Amino acid sequence: MAAPKKAAVGPLVGAVVQGTNSTRFLVFNSKTADLLGCHQVELTQEFPKEGWVEQDPKEILQSVYECIERTCEKLDKLNIDISNIKAIGVSNQRETTVIWDKLTGEPLYNAVVWLDLRTQSTVENLRKKIPENNNFVKSKTGLPLSTYFSAVKLRWILDNVRKVQKAVEEGRALFGTIDSWLIWSLTGGVYGGVHCTDVTNASRTMLFNIHSLEWDKELCDFFEIPMDILPNVWSSSEIYGLMKAGTLEGVPISGCLGDQSAALVGQMCFQEGQAKNTYGTGCFLLCNTGHKCVFSEHGLLTTVAYQLGRDKPACYALEGSVAIAGAVIRWLRDNIGIINTSEEIEVLARDVGTSYGCYFVPAFSGLYAPYWEPTARGIICGLTQFINKSHIAFAALESVCFQTREILDAMNHDCGIPLRHLQVDGKMTNNKVLMQLQADILHIPVIKPPMPETTALGAAMAAGAAEGVGVWSLKPEDLSVVIMERFEPQIKATECEIRYSTWKKAVMKSMGWVTTQTPESSDPTIFSSLPLGFFIVSSMVMLIGARYISGIP
């Protein structure tokens, strides 16, 4: 019997989405933007010391290969011809820092994840070197000096890992964010792999001048980073190289965007003033500011949004970054055990419909925008004997929404024109309780596309539109019209403001817990006398409390 004829679908574009918690590979029809197939692999995070967060670069790379192969198998079972995949885009967790040996292809140290806090003393020492009247670091990069960004992670590794120091001295070391590690490996590795990054990822290193779009010698000298280990910087949409192994061998990799920039493109926020909020491990609100850099006076970052072609101008964005969003749900599941799956939190929260005066500030990695307060730590406050795990689940979801409100308020002040609605994406947006809470707390409509994988879509669009590929048109008249799901505010503005002001009180209580720092570990949390009515929770006490709440002896 003759084999069934393959369905005539295409051209197709694949997208690697390498996130903090998982890796995915997704394939889209470039003419309709329909998602045809995908596969996901969850990743391990390592916490060798308090405040340290690491991942294995080889596990990440293997997860990419596995996702590509499994997705292609699924498409084959659907009778879709994978030879129609004409390009691959890469989207990645930003700032996470990798150093590897270009002769062996082996990582020289674990990837230091963007959430990692070990560099606080490094930051404090560097801050003393910046003239008070000339913060050239922020003016060139758009970024505050923080543990968040790659340069301080790289500086820590160079100071503390002899294996890396030796490789640098011998000219064997290469540095990159996750995109660089993946593209170098996928395009051949030690056999001619392309060592590159794109402007969006480069702009998150603190070594990149966002005005000239080049590595900056003054910044590299300030951080004492040798420039010969840095990747070449390309646009977000051009052919970097070809896949050299696996089912998709020979397919060009032609799109590269940091995950939040990819989501901005996937939400089609191409006009100045358009904004999106992505709910992932963290929460990231970006507003397109066009071809000009807008510097914030309210704690937001200035960053490169995208550059869709070598000869195209770069577009910029204001960004509000929240460290912990979906990560709080994973923490409730994995560390505390009050839910067994991430989806259960929606059921618990819906059952009670209120936090009953309980507020959760998940400052596990300090506070990012708009505070940039590394001394903050997570607290749950307003506890009474009535509170149970469902109220805590509700408070956890509320915390994501309150943090978004804070960065939205900052963005409204900086832009001068308040957003009239918020476009959202990310896996957490499948949680309808969360989306309704967000509309209530912002008191503006929240608009959600039917397909939440806009990060993958943005990477695919950049890859498909690249010169030499040309299978995806980014002309406004050719972009698909998407019917959105809309969540309208359902509470009075006065109630919204009361809850928000109470949240702000809780945030103030979270600050100042960390008072000392050593290079080897994050600071011990130091507790001062507690105000009546507030219960400050360490991980151990939380575990005991959560087991009690769950009815576990």
Side-chain angles (χ1 to χ4, degrees), residues 63-64 67-68 72 75 84 114 157 225 262 276 292 311 335 381 437 454:
S63 73
V64 171
C67 286
I68 290 173
C72 289
L75 292 177
N84 281 326
W114 58 277
I157 294 170
I225 303 298
K276 67 86 203 173
K292 62 182 183 294
D311 301 322
N335 292 42
C381 51
L437 270 173
T454 54

Side-chain angles (χ1 to χ4, degrees), residues 185-352:
S185 300
L186 296 172
T187 58
V190 297
Y191 303 106
V194 179
H195 186 215
C196 68
T197 188
D198 90 300
V199 291
T200 69
N201 282 295
S203 74
R204 312 299 292 194
T205 62
M206 266 194 148
L207 302 171
F208 187 72
N209 188 315
I210 62 174
H211 309 284
S212 65
L213 301 180
E214 297 174 326
W215 299 121
D216 190 285
K217 186 176 187 306
E218 184 181 17
L219 292 171
C220 290
D221 288 346
F222 175 73
F223 290 102
E224 299 180 72
I225 303 298
M227 295 185 75
D228 59 352
I229 70 172
L230 303 178
N232 295 316
V233 182
W234 296 33
S235 78
S236 308
S237 179
E238 57 183 297
I239 296 175
Y240 313 113
L242 306 180
M243 288 283 292
K244 289 296 172 67
T247 302
L248 298 184
E249 183 177 353
V251 175
I253 300 174
S254 53
C256 179
L257 291 152
D259 51 8
Q260 303 314 315
S261 290
L264 194 73
V265 171
Q267 286 269 32
M268 302 176 200
C269 294
F270 294 125
Q271 301 301 313
E272 187 175 335
Q274 288 185 306
K276 67 86 203 173
N277 198 36
T278 299
Y279 299 77
T281 299
C283 201
F284 302 89
L285 177 60
L286 269 70
C287 179
N288 189 329
T289 62
H291 301 309
K292 62 182 183 294
C293 294
V294 175
F295 283 84
S296 173
E297 297 179 1
H298 299 90
L300 303 182
L301 311 177
T302 304
T303 196
V304 179
Y306 52 80
Q307 184 189 14
L308 296 175
R310 184 181 301 182
D311 301 322
K312 302 286 178 65
C315 286
Y316 296 88
L318 274 175
E319 175 176 332
S321 308
V322 169
I324 303 295
V328 74
I329 297 173
R330 183 168 177 163
W331 183 78
L332 289 173
R333 183 193 71 186
D334 296 346
N335 292 42
I336 309 305
I338 68 171
I339 53 175
N340 294 316
T341 67
S342 298
E343 291 72 25
E344 283 180 31
I345 196 166
E346 182 175 6
V347 177
L348 291 177
R350 187 190 299 115
D351 284 347
V352 288

Side-chain angles (χ1 to χ4, degrees), residues 24-75:
R24 305 189 298 285
F25 184 69
L26 306 91
V27 174
F28 296 90
N29 184 319
S30 66
K31 300 305 178 187
T32 64
D34 290 337
L35 175 60
L36 302 179
C38 65
H39 189 77
Q40 177 171 334
V41 172
E42 193 162 310
L43 295 169
T44 305
Q45 292 181 36
E46 299 177 25
F47 307 95
K49 294 185 181 181
E50 174 66 24
W52 294 29
V53 189
E54 297 179 358
Q55 289 181 306
D56 180 355
K58 292 177 72 174
E59 181 191 358
I60 289 173
L61 178 60
Q62 183 55 42
S63 73
V64 171
Y65 280 120
E66 181 179 345
C67 286
I68 290 173
E69 295 304 313
R70 298 292 85 78
T71 301
C72 289
E73 289 172 6
K74 292 177 182 179
L75 292 177

Side-chain angles (χ1 to χ4, degrees), residues 101-149:
D101 189 320
K102 66 182 180 183
L103 300 183
T104 66
E106 291 293 312
L108 294 165
Y109 192 70
N110 268 349
V112 179
V113 176
W114 58 277
L115 285 165
D116 188 281
L117 290 176
R118 77 186 68 187
T119 56
Q120 187 54 42
S121 62
T122 305
V123 168
E124 290 166 2
N125 291 333
L126 288 167
R127 187 173 286 126
K128 296 171 187 174
K129 295 165 58 179
I130 299 176
E132 286 187 18
N133 61 348
N134 179 26
N135 190 343
F136 66 95
V137 175
K138 186 169 185 180
S139 64
K140 288 188 172 191
T141 67
L143 310 173
L145 196 57
S146 166
T147 60
Y148 183 16
F149 306 107

